[in-house]
Amino acid sequence: MGDSFGSAWWRGYAAQLKAIAEARRPDHLAIMPLGETLKALGKQTEVDEGVYDVPLAGIVGTVARAGDFDREFRPRNRALRDRWDRLTRTSADLPPVRLVRLSEMFFVDDGHHRVAIARARGATTIRARVRWISTVACALRCLTLADLPSKTAERMFLERVPLPDDVRLGLWLDDPADWFRLADSAEAWGFRRMLAGRPVRSRGELAEAWWHEEVRPVLEQVRERGLCPPPRDIQTYLSYGLDHV
């Protein structure tokens, strides 16, 4: 695979034309901006993870250069050519790139050209110093700009109904309104529980009790009835738990 700037630029341009021809979502090729993504997902803790090899396929975003590269780090700005050409000609050992990780997603803080050239050369990993930021909603690698409104609603749901981490990994709904519907339902369930003399001491306790005492029994009923549930538990509960069971 060629690492010339012209070759990389034309591959990106051809990919954009193909996306248009296939009527794909307009944000399909857009690189993910860290600021907007963090705002949607909700920032929690932050830690330096050190230096290690990162899979290039997981690098889908940028801290501050959204207009220069697409999601696969093909150049969009012709003004990048000179620096690209200098880097492809150098024989010096280059320092690790700097990345920010949100779960499965990596965002480039420093080293955009090095990431782009490595991808153009067909490499699968790159050496990087990584800063990890944990988020309220899970950062899946497949996220696009069009998914951020739903992830914002998911984050707001989790602030009201803070499910355990192992449950959060399996959450996904396309319609933001569904998250607010679920939060109202969980809180109403908790209120009925307290009226029945079984109070909860925190939102975390409410969330865990709601999941195990309300959601999981619905999932078991759906399976026992031989119905065809959606692929994710939360979608199954939304489809059957609120209205059908």
Side-chain angles (χ1 to χ4, degrees):
M1 187 178 294
D3 65 359
S4 72
F5 180 88
S7 176
W9 190 90
W10 279 109
R11 283 198 299 273
Y13 184 65
Q16 293 180 55
L17 292 180
K18 181 179 179 183
I20 294 171
E22 294 177 351
R24 302 183 76 170
R25 293 190 306 187
D27 68 338
H28 176 72
L29 294 175
I31 197 169
M32 296 296 290
L34 178 64
E36 290 181 44
T37 307
L38 262 182
K39 183 178 179 181
L41 300 179
K43 181 178 179 180
Q44 291 184 309
T45 58
E46 183 174 339
V47 65
D48 184 349
E49 290 190 308
V51 178
Y52 58 91
D53 290 335
V54 170
L56 282 162
I59 304 176
V60 296
T62 178
V63 173
R65 300 188 63 173
D68 288 340
F69 299 90
D70 70 8
R71 189 182 178 93
E72 297 186 10
F73 278 82
R74 293 170 294 219
R76 298 179 60 192
N77 184 351
R78 289 182 180 271
L80 305 176
R81 179 187 293 272
D82 287 346
R83 176 158 176 75
W84 180 290
D85 290 343
R86 287 197 301 272
L87 286 174
T88 57
R89 290 194 299 264
T90 186
S91 59
D93 290 333
L94 298 174
V97 300
R98 291 204 308 268
L99 305 176
V100 176
R101 180 172 75 85
L102 309 183
S103 189
E104 298 178 354
M105 306 174 75
F106 291 86
F107 299 75
V108 180
D109 186 15
D110 179 67
H112 292 75
H113 287 81
R114 281 170 277 163
V115 169
I117 292 170
R119 292 202 64 155
R121 288 173 170 170
T124 57
T125 62
I126 191 168
R127 199 73 172 167
R129 173 169 289 280
V130 180
R131 176 165 51 100
W132 172 60
I133 299 177
S134 65
T135 55
V136 177
C138 188
L140 303 176
R141 193 172 72 184
C142 62
L143 286 184
T144 68
L145 289 172
D147 298 316
L148 294 187
S150 179
K151 296 303 285 189
T152 299
E154 179 186 334
R155 183 254 304 163
M156 296 173 72
F157 164 81
L158 288 170
E159 288 170 346
R160 293 169 63 182
V161 188
L163 292 167
D165 289 343
D166 60 331
V167 175
R168 296 184 188 205
L169 293 174
L171 299 180
W172 186 281
L173 292 171
D174 292 323
D175 187 348
D178 287 338
W179 288 114
F180 298 111
R181 186 179 174 209
L182 279 172
D184 290 343
S185 175
E187 290 178 343
W189 178 88
F191 179 70
R192 292 193 299 271
R193 189 178 191 270
M194 287 190 287
L195 289 179
R198 301 172 60 211
V200 291
R201 292 166 294 182
S202 66
R203 286 191 172 271
E205 185 177 327
L206 165 65
E208 189 164 0
W210 174 72
W211 187 263
H212 289 288
E213 297 177 25
E214 165 66 10
V215 177
R216 295 195 67 83
V218 168
L219 301 179
E220 291 171 6
Q221 290 181 49
V222 169
R223 296 184 182 107
E224 288 173 359
R225 293 181 182 186
L227 301 174
C228 184
R232 294 181 183 272
D233 288 347
I234 200 67
Q235 294 170 314
T236 299
Y237 178 75
L238 185 69
S239 298
Y240 296 98
L242 298 185
D243 303 317
H244 298 71
V245 176

